[in-house]
Amino acid sequence: MLFHTIAHAQTVKYNIISSDDSLRSEVKKNVALYLEDFSSPNRDNLAYWKKQLHRQVNQALQALGYYNSKINLSFDKNSNSPTITVDIAMGYPVVITHSNYRVSGSGASFEPFVAQRNSYPLVVGSKLDHGSYQTTKSSMMDIARAYGFFDAKWIKHSVKVDIKSQTALIDLVFDTGERYHFGAIVIEGNHASNDIVRAMASFKQGDAYTSAAIANYNISLNQSRYFTSVQAIPALPNGLDKSIDIKVTAMHRPRNIVEVSAGVTSELGERGRLKWVKPWINRYGHSLESEIKLNQQEQSVTNNYKVPHGDPNLDYTNYVLGWRHTSNFNDTNNRYRKYSLQWQRHQQINEDWKRILLLKYEREKDNTQTQTRTHLIPGISYIRERREGGITPHWGDRQFVSVEVSDKAWGSQSSFYKLSLRSNWLRQYNETHQLLLKVEAGYINADEISEVPISMRYFAGGDNNLRAYKFNSVSPLDSDDKARGALTQLLSTIEYSYPIKEKWRLAVFHDAGTIGDKFFEENYSDAGIGVRWETPVGLVRLDFAKGLQGSDIKRFDRPFNISFAIGLDL
C-alpha cells in the first residue's frame, strides 16, 4: 500500500542508506548510478515495478561482488517529493579462489599485451569485481585492434560464483592470432598528387599495422594544405596474406586562392594584406605563396616557392624573395629598404626537433647610410614546438636556437655572428590555473652596431614583450633619439591567468628585460593586467601595462600602453 501513494509520480527520488553502516561509498555510488535512469512506477504494475527495483539494486551490488546483501525498500512519508528509501546491508563480498588468465598466439610476448596482463587485478584472494573483469576483456580487444591483431579472440572467458560459499572461479584464455601488416595505399580517383600523398605516410608496405600510424597520416594529410578534404581509412583486413590496405579519398584545393584582409592594431595602426596562393603547381607538390602587407609603418612583398622532398610538412625547401620598405608616414626622413633572397632547408631530424639550414643574400639601405650594404649570411636553427588545445592551446612549449654568420671572406661587407635563444612554456593546472613563462636571449658579436643590418639588430616592446613600451621602441637611441637597435638582449615574461566565465580569462603579468650593446646596460620592466577571450579565430588578448622604471627620456619614463593582439605567442 505504501507504493500506491506514488503511483501517479512522474519521477521518484531514491534515498540510499545503510542502517548497519556497512555501505561503502563506491558501492553507494554504483547503486545510485544504476537507479539514475530507472523507470518511474505505474499504477497498473506497481508490484512488478517494485520487484524490478529490487532487482536493479541487487545487480548494482553484484557488479561489485556483493551477492548476499539484504535490501529493504520503503516509502519516505516525511519527504516533500515521492522518495523511496533503499536500505542496504551489504554483507561479505565474494572472494576469488581460482584465477586462470593466459595469453596465447604470436603476440603473447608483445609488450602491450604483457603490460595489460601484468596489471590484471582479479587475483586469488581479491574481491570479485565484474567491472574489472569486463574492462580486462575490452582492453585486450582494444590493444588487438590498435596493433593489427584482427583475428584475436577470447577462447575462454567465464566467471563462476558459488553464492553459498561466497567464492568465485575465473578462467580467461586470450588468443592474439597473427599480427597484420600494412598493404598498399590505394588512392581513389586519378590524382596528380599520388606520390606526395604516399610520401606523407610514416609507414611503408609490409610494416606492422598500428592505428596510431593511420591517425598521424590523417593529421599530415590535413596539415599539408593541398586539400579541401582528405581522409585515410583502413580497408577490410585480408585474412589470406594478413595485410590491410589504406584507402585515401582527397579533394584538391582550388588552383588559385586569393585572400584579402584589413584591420587595425595597437602597434602598426591601420593595416591591409593581399595574399595569393597556388597550392599545386605540378605533380611534385610545388606550391607558391605571394603576399603584400601594408601598414602605416611598413610595406612588404614576399614570394615563397616551396619544394617538398618527401613529406611536405617535414621535409622541404623554401625559396623566398622579399622586399621591405619601412617608412613612418609622419616622418619621411626615416626610411629603410631591404631586398632579400633566401634558401631555407627544413627537415624534421627526430620526433621532436626540426632543423632549418639557411642561406640569405640581403641588400639594405636607410637614411643613416651613404651606400647600400650587401651581406651573404648562412645560418642554422633548431625548433621544437608542442601544443594541446588547437588554436587556443592550454598546454605547450616552444624552444628555438639559431646561429647566423656574416664574413667578408665570402663577400659580405662586414663580419659578425648572431646567437638567438627563445624558450616559452605554457602549463595549465586543475583545468583552471594557467601559467605562461617566456625567456628570450640574444647576442651579436660585431665591432660596431653599424656593421649589423638593421633587420638583424635587437629591438623590444610591443604585444609580446615589454608591453608598456611601443612596438620596437626599446633599444639604444641614435643621434636623432630614434631606436637604432642593439647587440644584446635578455627578456623574460611571467603571466598568470584564471577563468572568470566560459571562454574568458583574466590575466596578470610582469615583463622585464635588458637591451643594449652590452648585457645589463639598460634595464626595463612593466606589470599589468589583461583579458583573454577564446574565439574560433584564436585567442584575443587585450593588455593594459605600466612601466615600472623612471627615465630622463620621456617615452621610457614609466610609460602606459594598451595593446591588442590575436593569437598566443608560443
Side-chain angles (χ1 to χ4, degrees), residues 124-383:
V124 172
S126 64
K127 177 175 70 72
L128 176 62
D129 186 325
H130 287 279
S132 297
Y133 173 79
Q134 293 297 336
T135 298
T136 295
K137 291 174 59 182
S138 61
S139 295
M140 290 295 278
M141 292 305 297
D142 288 344
I143 293 171
R145 285 189 290 267
Y147 290 97
F149 293 88
F150 295 113
D151 298 329
K153 59 184 177 181
W154 287 100
I155 296 176
K156 189 174 184 180
H157 52 100
S158 67
V159 178
K160 296 179 181 179
V161 178
D162 187 332
I163 298 177
K164 184 177 291 187
S165 65
Q166 291 284 83
T167 60
L169 311 177
I170 298 179
D171 280 296
L172 288 170
V173 180
F174 185 74
D175 182 12
T176 68
E178 292 185 42
R179 188 176 185 182
Y180 281 61
H181 57 267
F182 282 109
I185 295 177
V186 181
I187 303 170
E188 297 184 355
N190 185 20
H191 297 278
S193 57
N194 287 2
D195 291 341
I196 292 294
V197 170
R198 291 189 174 94
M200 282 185 269
S202 61
F203 55 87
K204 60 182 181 295
Q205 190 167 349
D207 287 351
Y209 175 90
T210 66
S211 59
I214 300 299
N216 291 333
Y217 188 29
N218 275 289
I219 292 173
S220 295
L221 289 168
N222 282 281
Q223 287 180 341
S224 69
R225 301 170 65 189
Y226 289 138
F227 312 103
T228 54
S229 66
V230 61
Q231 185 180 38
I233 58 174
L236 292 175
N238 185 338
L240 296 177
D241 62 0
K242 305 300 179 185
S243 68
I244 181 165
D245 292 341
I246 305 302
K247 291 185 177 180
V248 177
T249 56
M251 182 179 295
H252 288 284
R253 295 177 74 191
R255 295 183 64 86
N256 292 280
I257 302 171
V258 177
E259 300 175 4
V260 181
S261 63
V264 179
T265 69
S266 57
E267 293 179 346
L268 303 175
E270 296 86 355
R271 62 185 179 87
R273 186 188 71 150
L274 174 64
K275 187 176 183 179
W276 172 46
V277 181
K278 288 185 69 67
W280 285 98
I281 291 180
N282 53 37
R283 67 186 183 90
Y284 303 109
H286 294 194
S287 61
L288 174 67
E289 287 189 10
S290 296
E291 186 173 48
I292 300 174
K293 290 183 179 180
L294 302 172
N295 61 61
Q296 290 186 350
Q297 299 184 29
E298 181 177 298
Q299 306 82 47
S300 66
V301 178
T302 305
N303 296 282
N304 183 9
Y305 192 87
K306 181 178 179 180
V307 178
H309 304 290
D311 185 337
N313 300 308
L314 306 176
D315 189 8
Y316 58 92
T317 296
N318 282 340
Y319 298 93
V320 185
L321 178 64
W323 170 83
R324 179 183 171 195
H325 179 262
T326 300
S327 172
N328 189 323
F329 291 160
N330 298 318
D331 183 7
T332 57
N333 293 321
N334 185 20
R335 291 181 173 176
Y336 163 79
R337 294 179 299 277
K338 184 182 79 168
Y339 306 88
S340 65
L341 176 63
Q342 294 188 34
W343 171 86
Q344 302 170 355
R345 183 70 171 91
H346 297 248
Q347 285 181 294
Q348 193 79 24
I349 56 176
N350 57 39
E351 187 176 343
D352 294 323
W353 288 90
K354 177 180 181 178
R355 180 184 65 203
I356 302 175
L357 300 176
L358 172 73
L359 180 62
K360 59 183 179 181
Y361 172 79
E362 294 187 344
R363 291 172 58 87
E364 70 164 28
K365 183 179 181 180
D366 72 357
N367 287 350
T368 66
Q369 298 170 340
T370 58
Q371 61 180 352
T372 300
R373 288 184 173 270
T374 302
H375 293 90
L376 184 63
I377 305 172
I380 185 171
S381 60
Y382 292 88
I383 302 171

Side-chain angles (χ1 to χ4, degrees), residues 13-25 27-32 35 57 61 69-78 83-91:
K13 293 183 178 179
Y14 299 98
N15 181 28
I16 304 168
I17 65 170
S18 178
S19 297
D20 64 355
D21 293 326
S22 63
L23 190 62
R24 301 174 63 178
S25 61
V27 179
K28 182 177 180 179
K29 289 179 182 178
N30 202 51
V31 173
L35 295 179
V57 174
L61 295 168
S69 302
K70 306 299 182 183
I71 305 169
N72 183 44
L73 305 176
S74 61
F75 175 61
D76 188 353
K77 296 180 179 180
N78 298 320
T83 303
I84 299 295
T85 296
V86 182
D87 191 354
I88 300 172
M90 284 176 51

